[in-house]
Amino acid sequence: MEEKNKEKKSAAARYFAQLRVDTGQTWRRMKASRGLYLFLLPFMLVFTAFYVLPVIISIFYSFTYYNILEPPRWIGLQNYINLFLADDVFLTAVKNTFLIAVITGPVGYLASFVFAWLINELPRSIRAIAVTVFYAPSISGQVYLIWGILFSGDSYGYINALLMDLGITDKAIKWLTDPDYMMPVLIIVILWMSLGTGFLAFIAGLQSLDKSQIEAGYVDGIRNRWQELWYIVLPNMKPMLLFGAVMAITQSFGVADVTMALAGFPSTDYAARTVVTHLYDYGTVRFDMGYASAIATVLFFTMILCNKLIQKLLRGVGKGGDYSGGRRKK
Amino acid sequence: MAGGRNKKLGRSLGGNIVVYGILILFGAFMLMPMVYAVNSAFKPLDELFVFPPRFFVQNPTLDNFSDLETIMGQSWVPFSRYLLNTVLITVVGTAGCVIVTSMAAFVLAKFRFPGSRAIFRIVTTALMFSGYVTQIPNYLIIARLGWIDTYLAMIVPAFGMPMGLFLTKQYMENVPDVLIEAARIDGANLWQIFWRVIMPNTRPAWLTVTILSVQALWNSKAIQYIYSEDLKTLPYALQQILGGGVSRTGVGSAVTVIMMIVPVVTFILSQRQITETMASSGIKE
C-alpha cells in the first residue's frame, strides 16, 4: 500500500519535474526567437486591438447597461433575457438572418463552385474574362445600389416597366417597400454578389489540379466530365471547399449593408431587418451599447459554431475519396 | 477521341453547348447592373427620365461627369477632396498592410517557436466572423486611442488583415528552405532574408493582399469615425449624391462608375497572381 503510494508520488514528481524542464526549454526557446516575435509584433498589436480585444469587450459589455455617457453598470443576463424573451423585433431579425443565411449560404457556395467549374471548362483565352465578369459584382463596391433603380417601386422601375409591358402585371409592384416582395428581391441581390473570395479559391484550385491524375482517371475508365468532377476533381478540392465554406458562412450571416441600402432602415414592418441591422440600430442610433454587445456576442458565437459544424460535416463527406493530388503536400 | 491531344478528354459537343449557354445567361445577369451604371453615366438628362425607361444610352454625353464637379462645388468641400482622401487611405493603408502582414506571415510560415501554432489558429478563427461583430468595441477603442476624426482611424486597422495573413502564410510555406539557408550562410539577418529572399519570391501572395486591401479601403466609408467633411471618403460622397433623389440618378451613376473602375481594373491586371496565391488557400487538416 505504502509502496504503491510512493510510486504514485514519484510518478507525479517526475511529471512535474518534466514540466519544469519543459517550461525552462520553452523560455529558452522564446528568448532565442526574440527576433521572430519582433516580426510578429506589428501585426499582433493591430490584430489584438481590432479583433481580439473587441470580442472580449463585447462579451463583457453584454452583461452591463452602458450608454457611453455613464460608466457601465453590471446587470447580469438581463440583456440576453430581454433579447430572447421581450424583443419581438430581434426575433424577426433572427428569422430573417437565418432565412438569408440558409438560402444565400448554400446557394452562393454551390454557385461559386459550379460557376468556377464551368469557367474552368472554357478555353484559356476567354477564361480570364469570364472570371472577371462573375467576380466583379462582389468587388465593385456599391454598384448594388443600381438594383434599387432596377427594382424601383414605381412604373419607372425597369423590372416593373418590363412586367407591365409583357402584361404580367397591370400595376407597379413595390418591390422594396412591400414586405411580401422585399425578401426575395434582397436574396437575389445578395446572391448576385456572393461569388467572392471562395469563388476565386475554387478557380485557383481547379486550375492547379494535377493533369496527369485526370488522364490516369480516363485510362481507368472515367468517361465524361461529370464522372471526372465526381471522382477526381471534388476529392482533390477539399481544402478549397473548406475555405470556401468558411467564406460563405461568414458572408451570409453578416448581411446588412445591402438590406439597409435597398429596403431602407428601418424597413417596412421590419421585414428586412437582420441581426446586424438590429446591432447597428442599438449601437449607433439608440446608444444602448450593452444591448448591442449582447447582440454582437450572440452573432459571434453563432458564426463560430456554424463554421465549426459545417467544417466537421464537410470533412466527413469527403472521407471516401481522400487521396491527395500530386501538388498538395502533407 | 477525335479531339486530339490538345483537347480536353471526355468533352462532348452537347455538354459544351450547355456550359456556354449557362455561362452566357448568368454572365449577362451578373453584368447587367454594371452595364446599366455605365450606360446611365453617359445618358443625357432627357434619356434618363424617358418613359418607358430605356436601358441603353443613345446619345452619350459627358455631362454627368462635369455636373459632378458643379454639384459637389456647392457643398462644403470639392469632389476632388473626397477622391484624394480615398486615394490616400487606400495607398497608405495597403502599403502598411502588405508589409505588416507579410512580416508576420513569414515567421509563422518558416519558423516553429513557442506560440506560433496558437497564434495562427487564433488568426484563422478571425476569418470566421465578420467585422460587424466588432464594430462597436472598435469605435470605443479608436476613441480611447484618440484617433476619432483622423486618418489613423481609417488606416491603422487595415494593417492587420487576417485573411491576408492566412493566404500569405500558406503561400510562403512553398518557398524552399534552401533559399533561406543560403542567405543565412551569406550572413543575412532576419530582415534581409525577409526583404531580399522572401518578398521577391512571393510576389503573387502580396499582390493578392494588395488587391484585397485596395478593395476594402477603396470602399471604406468609415462614417462612424470621421466628422470633418474634409476627411470624408468617396463612398460617403456617393451616398450623399444619391441621397439627393431621382434627379441625381445620372451623376450618381457617374460616381458609381468611378467607384467600380479601380477595384475591377486592379483585379484584371493581377488576376494571374491572385489565382496562383489562391491555389494554396485551402484549409489543411
Side-chain angles (χ1 to χ4, degrees):
Chain A
M1 184 70 190
E2 207 175 273
E3 204 171 293
K4 221 176 198 174
N5 214 0
K6 199 172 157 197
E7 204 175 72
K8 207 174 180 183
K9 203 183 271 170
S10 72
R14 250 201 320 252
Y15 175 75
F16 279 115
Q18 223 173 14
L19 200 70
R20 209 159 34 241
V21 169
D22 203 36
T23 48
Q25 267 177 358
T26 307
W27 179 239
R28 233 175 324 183
R29 270 167 59 215
M30 282 175 82
K31 264 166 92 174
S33 36
R34 251 174 317 193
L36 303 178
Y37 289 112
L38 222 59
F39 260 69
L40 262 180
L41 188 69
F43 184 88
M44 285 319 282
L45 280 179
V46 177
F47 182 74
T48 311
F50 298 107
Y51 288 87
V52 181
L53 264 183
V55 170
I56 297 169
I57 292 176
S58 237
I59 295 173
F60 171 74
Y61 280 143
S62 73
F63 297 109
T64 65
Y65 174 79
Y66 183 38
N67 59 10
I68 294 202
L69 299 174
E70 304 160 50
R73 195 176 73 238
W74 189 266
I75 54 168
L77 286 173
Q78 199 53 51
N79 283 326
Y80 291 98
I81 293 169
N82 290 347
L83 201 53
F84 286 106
L85 298 180
D87 191 344
D88 289 345
V89 181
F90 177 68
L91 296 180
T92 312
V94 168
K95 206 189 77 205
N96 290 336
T97 305
F98 269 96
L99 185 71
I100 291 175
V102 161
I103 297 175
T104 67
V107 175
Y109 180 63
L110 275 179
S112 294
F113 183 80
V114 169
F115 286 122
W117 183 69
L118 290 174
I119 287 172
N120 200 48
E121 295 282 296
L122 297 176
R124 192 172 288 274
S125 48
I126 48 175
R127 211 186 277 164
I129 301 167
V131 171
T132 311
V133 166
F134 281 83
Y135 185 54
S138 66
I139 53 169
S140 24
Q142 295 173 305
V143 176
Y144 62 79
L145 293 175
I146 298 294
W147 286 106
I149 300 169
L150 298 177
F151 276 108
S152 177
D154 51 16
S155 44
Y156 281 90
Y158 285 74
I159 312 279
N160 274 334
L162 186 73
L163 289 180
M164 285 156 76
D165 232 26
L166 296 173
I168 296 172
T169 54
D170 51 358
K171 63 175 196 295
I173 295 172
K174 298 199 173 349
W175 296 106
L176 293 164
T177 40
D178 185 337
D180 289 340
Y181 292 101
M182 234 183 255
M183 255 325 170
V185 173
L186 290 173
I187 285 174
I188 291 172
V189 177
I190 295 164
L191 280 176
W192 170 74
M193 54 195 299
S194 64
L195 301 191
T197 324
F199 169 70
L200 279 190
F202 295 156
I203 291 275
L206 287 165
Q207 285 184 15
S208 59
L209 280 180
D210 191 359
K211 300 271 184 307
S212 60
Q213 206 187 346
I214 295 176
E215 278 166 27
Y218 277 93
V219 172
D220 286 346
I222 282 178
R223 251 180 237 102
N224 52 42
R225 59 181 118 199
W226 318 109
Q227 289 182 350
E228 175 189 319
L229 171 69
W230 189 253
Y231 291 109
I232 302 176
V233 175
L234 278 179
N236 273 306
M237 289 277 291
K238 233 169 89 184
M240 279 83 193
L241 291 173
L242 279 174
F243 176 75
V246 172
M247 294 296 108
I249 294 164
T250 313
Q251 218 177 335
S252 62
F253 274 105
V255 169
D257 287 345
V258 176
T259 59
M260 279 161 74
L262 292 182
F265 173 68
S267 47
T268 319
D269 290 345
Y270 299 114
R273 174 158 292 219
T274 64
V275 173
V276 177
T277 321
H278 207 53
L279 165 67
Y280 182 84
D281 193 2
Y282 278 92
T284 59
V285 181
R286 296 169 206 243
F287 286 105
D288 190 343
M289 296 301 176
Y291 200 63
S293 296
I295 301 170
T297 307
V298 170
L299 187 65
F300 171 77
F301 283 109
T302 315
M303 281 176 167
I304 300 278
L305 211 75
C306 272
N307 261 303
K308 296 277 180 207
L309 219 73
I310 299 283
Q311 282 195 40
K312 198 160 241 173
L313 217 75
L314 281 178
R315 278 190 180 138
V317 165
K319 230 159 216 160
D322 200 11
Y323 54 100
S324 218
R327 188 190 52 79
R328 225 160 280 124
K329 60 184 195 313
K330 191 62 214 158
Chain B
M1 269 227 144
R5 283 199 60 81
N6 292 335
K7 282 268 162 59
K8 280 184 171 178
L9 291 155
R11 264 56 177 172
S12 64
L13 181 66
N16 277 340
I17 292 172
V18 173
V19 167
Y20 277 90
I22 293 173
L23 283 179
I24 289 170
L25 194 73
F26 281 92
F29 170 71
M30 299 305 267
L31 270 188
M32 189 169 64
M34 276 79 154
V35 174
Y36 177 82
V38 173
N39 271 292
S40 298
F42 293 102
K43 272 181 194 165
L45 199 60
D46 55 330
E47 275 187 52
L48 280 168
F49 298 108
V50 70
F51 186 84
R54 218 180 280 142
F55 197 87
F56 293 104
V57 58
Q58 276 169 340
N59 305 302
T61 156
L62 282 173
D63 283 356
N64 291 321
F65 290 91
S66 49
D67 282 353
L68 201 57
E69 262 308 307
T70 327
I71 288 180
M72 297 315 277
Q74 297 156 5
S75 78
W76 214 257
V77 294
F79 178 72
S80 52
R81 183 66 204 236
Y82 296 111
L83 187 64
L84 182 81
N85 287 337
T86 288
V87 170
L88 180 84
I89 64 162
T90 305
V91 170
V92 179
T94 302
C97 175
V98 167
I99 293 173
V100 167
T101 307
S102 301
M103 278 168 69
F106 162 51
V107 291
L108 288 179
K110 282 297 163 198
F111 300 94
R112 283 279 158 270
F113 52 92
S116 58
R117 275 161 194 278
I119 288 172
F120 184 64
R121 188 163 290 178
I122 293 171
V123 174
T124 339
T125 310
L127 294 179
M128 296 181 191
F129 58 89
S130 64
Y132 297 108
V133 170
T134 52
Q135 220 167 33
I136 292 164
N138 269 355
Y139 175 85
L140 299 174
I141 288 167
I142 283 174
R144 187 59 63 82
L145 290 167
W147 289 354
I148 294 294
D149 215 20
T150 64
Y151 285 120
L152 285 178
M154 297 183 272
I155 293 172
V156 177
F159 286 178
M161 189 207 283
M163 169 83 86
L165 180 95
F166 176 75
L167 292 174
T168 319
K169 187 243 177 196
Q170 303 291 78
Y171 191 84
M172 280 180 177
E173 282 181 345
N174 301 332
V175 176
D177 288 334
V178 193
L179 284 179
I180 299 173
E181 219 38 61
R184 196 180 261 171
I185 289 165
D186 287 348
N189 61 30
L190 205 56
W191 174 259
Q192 286 163 333
I193 293 174
F194 169 68
W195 197 244
R196 300 208 189 125
V197 178
I198 297 292
M199 288 306 264
N201 279 303
T202 54
R203 225 175 75 120
W206 52 261
L207 265 173
T208 306
V209 176
T210 305
I211 300 304
L212 294 177
S213 167
V214 165
Q215 280 163 16
L217 288 167
W218 185 258
N219 291 317
S220 142
K221 269 191 271 203
I223 26 173
Q224 64 270 45
Y225 306 135
I226 305 297
Y227 303 125
S228 308
E229 199 62 32
D230 54 358
L231 291 184
K232 283 183 173 160
T233 58
L234 202 54
Y236 166 81
L238 171 65
Q239 211 172 33
Q240 294 304 302
I241 292 170
L242 289 176
V246 270
S247 60
R248 300 272 177 82
T249 310
V251 182
S253 302
V255 186
T256 312
V257 169
I258 296 175
M259 283 302 302
M260 75 182 186
I261 280 177
V262 169
V264 172
V265 168
T266 44
F267 176 72
I268 292 172
L269 292 179
S270 50
Q271 194 182 342
R272 222 189 53 230
Q273 270 86 7
I274 296 180
T275 326
E276 198 178 314
T277 309
M278 287 289 175
S280 51
S281 72
I283 296 177
K284 292 159 196 162
E285 290 158 66

